Amino acid sequence: MITHVRSVGLGVPDLRQAREFYEKRWQLEAVRTEDGLLYLGAGCAESHVLRLRVTPDPRMDLLCLGAESAGAVDRIAARVARNPEGKLLGDPAPRQDLGGGYAVRFLDCDGRVVEVSAEVEDRVFRPVEELESRPLAISHVVLNTRDLQRARAFYESVLGFRVSDWVEDIMCFLRVGPAHHIIAFTRAPHVSLNHVAFEVNGLDAFMRATGRLMRDGVAPLWGPGRHGVGNNTFSYFQDPSSRFVLEYTTAAQMIHDDRAWTPQVHPANAQTTDQWGTANPRDELVSAALCGLPDPGLWTPPPV
């Protein structure tokens, strides 16, 4: 029923600083600004892939997932209503955010606001050219949770995700289609956003994107490298204003035959972390940045 990650909404204290980074450095396109909101698009037809809203402290406002149809939105709403771990924030209805459509919002088992939508209007966009390094779309989102099994069970039972792989009892990768993962959960001491990963147009664009930021004086937090689980490349950077972690990635593993795939439990070692061996070690500073601070937006839906 779920098709992809449509967008992520973040709360930022300084919208001007955030726009400077996400538009000029990360190379997203400003689509609309209104009443303390900034919508940013990528090289895809989504109305936007990132929504920034002015808030007193950094927070995750929304995790927006695409559904295959309005009927799928209704079925997911019914599943949330039956699940004691979630809480509907209203009945499915016409979507009020940019792009319109039909949507339902709810709190997941950790208190995050999740929106599932269908029939969202496409945006006229400029395709990413062959040698460009700007993002195509959101590839995946990784979320920190105190209870890995609880989060996995909720997203399986309510949203229809399937487990692709594990890293020990530390990380769980979830998919809905052939991509190895579009959501993953990492065990952490508190609930927060781990990172948002943006797909770029192949390995050459991945290295160009990484190098472009480095030339601009933005050093990678971690990378470039290539993960062992999921096989995707990674270069992690940190938003200098609100400290959210972002990733450039490409070339993830595809699972085309569910019947032939058995999830594996992988060890947490150097090969699993970076099979190329090119990235800087994942030390305490990297881990702390990915862990982030406890999210003040939990159980508190944004006003829009």
Side-chain angles (χ1 to χ4, degrees), residues 1-9 40-42 44-51 62-70 73 95 97-103 114-123 136-141 161 182-183 196-198:
M1 289 189 290
I2 297 297
T3 55
H4 65 295
V5 178
R6 196 180 291 285
S7 65
V8 172
L40 295 152
C44 64
E46 289 292 344
S47 63
H48 60 284
V49 296
L50 190 65
R51 191 191 82 172
L62 286 168
L63 171 62
C64 301
L65 304 174
E68 60 192 11
S69 66
V73 173
R95 184 170 174 269
D97 214 351
L98 183 65
Y102 182 74
V114 180
E115 178 187 273
V116 175
S117 61
E119 301 177 354
V120 176
E121 184 178 350
D122 285 346
R123 177 178 70 94
L136 292 162
I138 289 180
S139 164
H140 61 270
V141 178
F161 280 84
I182 64 167
I183 296 288
V196 181
F198 290 82

Side-chain angles (χ1 to χ4, degrees), residues 178-246:
H180 180 270
H181 58 283
I182 64 167
I183 296 288
F185 286 97
T186 297
R187 183 164 50 81
H190 52 253
V191 176
S192 60
L193 175 64
N194 186 285
H195 70 271
V196 181
F198 290 82
E199 183 77 24
V200 291
N201 194 21
L203 288 172
D204 191 62
F206 165 76
M207 291 305 295
R208 287 176 183 270
T210 302
R212 174 176 45 76
L213 279 177
M214 293 173 69
R215 285 174 176 171
D216 284 349
V218 184
L221 172 69
W222 187 29
R226 190 161 198 163
H227 292 310
V229 182
N231 204 41
N232 56 300
T233 63
F234 66 89
S235 286
Y236 294 88
F237 294 86
Q238 201 163 22
D239 162 4
S241 173
S242 299
R243 313 307 293 169
F244 292 116
V245 178
L246 313 167

Side-chain angles (χ1 to χ4, degrees), residues 270-287:
Q271 178 68 17
T272 299
T273 300
D274 176 21
Q275 59 176 295
W276 284 346
T278 54
N280 50 305
R282 178 169 171 164
D283 57 18
E284 291 182 2
L285 290 177
V286 174
S287 295

